[in-house]
């Protein structure tokens, strides 16, 4: 039995969110146990999130992930806190949007006009199937651990993936908020450019109403340059008295220039407008940024 470092998971049709500008993440412990002669691996991950400008740790301390996994030919079983399979599919639908989540067109209120989802579940039991003929699936169950109530959460996904194409469907039910989410997402790489898109629907409580959301992204590599853009739109309706009804849209542009394999210059722009149920703007923001990024 050997202990060895483990690279972050990007297989099994799973996608991971991008780090927002001004925030950092560090996997304090990341490894795998290889049971020699047996096709099984046990993996663990403890990921802390912190604010880069102050150094303050976010709460909970292992906000990013705190998990233990067993992997083999059967797929993967994971226990603890980690991203949901619904979040994986939602990320697929924005995978060709602007390079950083701070500039993603759907961020900063566009996809939160009536309520938003839990991207991670605590005390979660998950199963991810192996990819079989391009098809994959996954399921999460989070037990509420509260006496006298039934607030369990669950999510599932199913998808198909080939070299240049991926499509997936996911559903997430959060009983504690009376919210149900369904997303259909896809990505296609044409060679000279690639696109991603998603349609998301939230069925909520009478107080919060229902959301319909759309996202579209495109990425175009040109030599050392990579240009990207995104658009997102959401509409909330059927809330009690129209109090939470409204519309929102976001538009984003970005560019990066590769100085080396792990170092890039970048520039980004994002425009967000949110309107309430009578059409008055409650948010009208623009974000500009330039900088250099190095991935360790």
């Amino acid at each position: 039995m050997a202990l060895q470092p483990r690279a972050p998971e990007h297989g099994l049709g799973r996608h991971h969110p991008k780090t927002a500008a001004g925030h950092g993440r560090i996997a304090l412990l990341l490894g795998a146990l290889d049971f020699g002669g047996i096709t099984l691996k046990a993996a663990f991950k403890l990921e802390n999130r912190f604010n880069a400008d102050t150094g303050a740790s976010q709460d909970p301390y292992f906000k990013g992930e705190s998990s233990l996994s067993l992997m083999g030919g059967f797929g993967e079983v994971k226990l603890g806190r980690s991203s949901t399979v619904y979040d994986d599919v939602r990320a697929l639908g924005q995978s060709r949007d602007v390079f950083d989540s701070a500039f993603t067109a759907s961020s900063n209120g566009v996809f939160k006009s009536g309520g938003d989802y839990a991207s991670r579940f605590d005390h979660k039991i998950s199963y991810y199937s192996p990819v079989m003929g391009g098809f994959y699936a996954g399921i999460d169950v989070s037990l509420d651990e509260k006496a006298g109530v039934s607030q369990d959460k669950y999510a599932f996904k199913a998808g198909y993936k080939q070299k240049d194409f991926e499509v997936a469907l996911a559903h997430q039910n959060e009983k504690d908020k009376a919210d149900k989410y369904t997303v259909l997402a896809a990505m296609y790489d044409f060679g000279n450019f690639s696109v991603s898109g998603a349609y998301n629907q939230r069925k909520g409580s009478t107080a919060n109403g229902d959301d319909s959301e759309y996202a579209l992204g495109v990425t175009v590599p040109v030599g050392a340059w990579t240009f990207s853009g995104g658009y997102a739109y959401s509409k909330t309706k059927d809330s009690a008295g129209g109090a939470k009804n409204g519309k929102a849209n976001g538009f984003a542009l970005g560019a990066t220039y590769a100085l080396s394999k792990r170092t890039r210059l970048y520039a980004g722009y994002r425009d967000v407008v949110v309107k309430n149920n009578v059409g008055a703007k409650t948010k009208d923001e623009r974000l500009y940024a330039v900088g250099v990024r190095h991935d360790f």
Side-chain angles (χ1 to χ4, degrees):
M1 183 172 68
L3 176 65
Q4 59 187 6
R6 176 181 177 228
E9 280 289 342
H10 289 278
L12 300 177
R14 292 153 69 187
H15 298 263
H16 296 261
K18 308 162 187 175
T19 303
H23 298 280
R25 68 176 72 176
I26 181 170
L28 298 181
L29 294 174
L30 183 64
L33 290 171
D34 188 352
F35 300 90
I38 305 176
T39 57
L40 289 176
K41 284 188 177 182
F44 58 92
K45 184 176 181 181
L46 300 174
E47 183 180 312
N48 170 255
R49 297 292 178 90
F50 61 93
N51 298 324
D53 55 344
T54 65
S57 178
Q58 297 181 13
D59 185 51
Y61 189 79
F62 292 121
K63 183 176 182 179
E65 186 165 335
S66 175
S67 67
L68 177 67
S69 299
L70 183 65
M71 296 171 287
F74 60 87
E76 179 179 0
V77 174
K78 178 179 283 190
L79 307 177
R81 172 182 170 84
S82 62
S83 299
T84 70
V85 292
Y86 171 86
D87 186 63
D88 292 341
V89 177
R90 184 153 161 156
L92 168 65
Q94 301 178 69
S95 59
R96 295 305 184 266
D97 207 328
V98 178
F99 60 91
D100 191 288
S101 60
F103 295 102
T104 301
S106 63
S107 66
N108 203 38
V110 176
F111 272 17
K112 296 180 181 180
S113 51
D116 207 6
Y117 71 107
S119 61
R120 290 166 174 77
F121 286 168
D122 294 332
H123 29 80
K124 177 165 69 77
I125 304 170
S126 301
Y127 171 70
Y128 314 114
S129 77
V131 178
M132 298 174 288
F135 294 95
Y136 62 85
I139 186 170
D140 301 318
V141 177
S142 173
L143 307 178
D144 59 36
E145 297 186 352
K146 297 177 182 178
V149 297
S150 177
Q151 295 183 348
D152 297 342
K153 303 175 185 178
Y154 66 84
F156 62 85
K157 71 174 180 181
Y160 177 78
K161 182 178 182 180
Q162 290 296 338
K163 181 179 179 181
D164 301 322
F165 172 72
E166 184 172 1
V167 61
L169 176 71
H171 178 77
Q172 181 161 303
N173 188 333
E174 300 179 27
K175 290 185 178 180
D176 58 331
K177 298 191 305 179
D179 282 330
K180 298 179 181 180
Y181 303 85
T182 304
V183 60
L184 176 65
M187 182 281 298
Y188 193 88
D189 189 342
F190 292 89
N192 293 328
F193 67 98
S194 56
V195 297
S196 63
Y199 170 68
N200 185 70
Q201 189 175 66
R202 181 185 64 86
K203 293 294 185 181
S205 64
T206 301
N208 287 329
D210 303 330
D211 293 338
S212 296
E213 303 169 337
Y214 309 84
L216 179 66
V218 59
T219 294
V220 183
V222 183
W225 289 94
T226 300
F227 301 96
S228 55
Y231 176 77
Y233 171 84
S234 72
K235 181 179 181 179
T236 302
K237 61 181 182 179
D238 298 333
S239 63
K244 293 290 184 70
N245 291 4
K247 298 179 181 179
N249 63 79
F251 174 73
L253 292 172
T256 66
Y257 182 82
L259 298 175
S260 66
K261 185 177 180 179
R262 295 189 296 173
T263 304
R264 294 176 292 167
L265 301 176
Y266 69 84
Y269 166 79
R270 187 198 65 213
D271 183 287
V272 169
V273 175
V274 180
K275 297 181 180 180
N276 62 17
N277 58 338
V278 296
K281 292 182 180 179
T282 59
K283 180 176 288 187
D284 188 1
E285 296 182 353
R286 277 152 292 282
L287 173 67
Y288 309 87
V290 295
V292 58
R293 174 172 174 168
H294 182 79
D295 297 319
F296 292 93

